[in-house]
Structure formats: C-alpha cells, structure tokens
Amino acid sequence: MEREEYMREALCLAREAALSGETPVGAVVVDPGGIIIGRGRNRTEERDATCHAELEAIRDASKSLGAWRLTGCSLFVTMEPCPMCAGAVYNSRIDAIYFGARDSRAGACGGVFNLFMEPLDRKVKIYGGILEDECREVLREFFDGKR
C-alpha cells in the first residue's frame, strides 16, 4: 500500500467519528511489512478525554502484537497529533508519523511546537500534508455543521 492508501483508511475512521458526533480524526498503525495492525477514531465524547484516534490505534496495535513496543511501525493520522498523542507515539516506539491536516491550536509536530525537536534519546520521523486537503475538508464540514 502507498501512504495515500493508509491515509484513506484513516479518513474512513474520521468520517465514522463524525457520524458519531466526535471530532473527525482517524488513525491507523502500520507494521514494518505494510499491514494495518491498529485502527482508531476519536471517542472523547463517548468515553473520555484520552480517547483520541492515535491512542485508540496504538492500543489496538499493541493488542494485535501482544506487546507495547511498536518499533518499526508507522502511524497515519488525519490531523497532526496533540502533545498527549505525540508523547504516546514516542513512548510506544513508533518510528514515523504521517499526518494530513496541520493543527494550529495544539499540534505537537510543528503546528504549535515540535516535541520531536527536543533532545530526546530517539527520533521519530514526521511527514505532514498526506491527503491534506481531504483531511482538512472532513474537519471543515464537521465544524461548519456545528455552527
């Protein structure tokens, strides 16, 4: 699969979140062989403040592997991760983040600040703008409907 195909999977999850009244963010974790091993969507309204798409996908991937270390894996998420989610990516040993839309309010991968520019003991690669227009449009439609 190509990066765009993984992001399309995350977009499907984002749309599912929107249908449930959640901020439309979706995420998938991909193993080194290119298999999606974790899926998640925002569930903060349904559950609690920690149920962001990234954390749901990380939990699902950890369950799939039977381990918390996701070394060699990549995270694809429709919106730039917040500080909580960026920290979870770092702690779970994910190697790379691919995101769609930048988050100018709480983005921790360059939108507001970049956690991964800090002097941490390992680096996480960051790639933004994957299907950015589609990811931004899902968010825009959701918030326009709220107004």
Side-chain angles (χ1 to χ4, degrees), residues 2-123:
E2 296 289 323
R3 288 187 279 186
E4 289 79 13
E5 292 177 75
Y6 296 123
M7 191 61 77
R8 282 189 183 87
E9 290 289 324
L11 276 164
C12 286
L13 292 160
R15 289 183 183 103
E16 186 181 306
L19 290 173
S20 296
E22 300 279 356
T23 300
V25 178
V28 297
V29 175
V30 178
D31 75 7
I35 307 293
I36 295 174
I37 59 168
R39 289 178 164 78
R41 67 170 180 83
N42 273 5
R43 295 180 192 272
T44 55
E45 300 296 333
E46 182 182 326
R47 295 186 182 155
D48 65 58
T50 68
C51 291
H52 287 198
E54 299 94 325
L55 297 183
E56 296 276 306
I58 289 168
R59 286 182 192 116
D60 193 36
S62 294
K63 184 177 178 183
S64 293
L65 292 180
W68 64 268
R69 287 181 186 87
L70 301 177
T71 306
C73 294
S74 298
L75 174 77
F76 288 79
V77 60
T78 57
M79 189 166 81
E80 178 184 358
C82 72
M84 174 178 69
C85 294
V89 166
Y90 176 78
N91 286 323
S92 66
R93 309 297 195 265
I94 287 175
D95 287 359
I97 298 169
Y98 295 84
F99 69 85
R102 188 157 299 282
D103 183 356
S104 61
R105 292 183 180 172
C109 298
V112 175
F113 71 98
N114 188 339
L115 174 70
F116 304 107
M117 294 296 290
E118 298 301 317
L120 302 170
D121 66 346
R122 57 179 199 82
K123 299 294 180 192

Side-chain angles (χ1 to χ4, degrees), residues 105 139-147:
R105 292 183 180 172
L139 289 159
R140 189 195 60 74
E141 286 175 4
F142 178 78
F143 288 111
D144 282 355
K146 292 278 187 191
R147 293 182 185 134

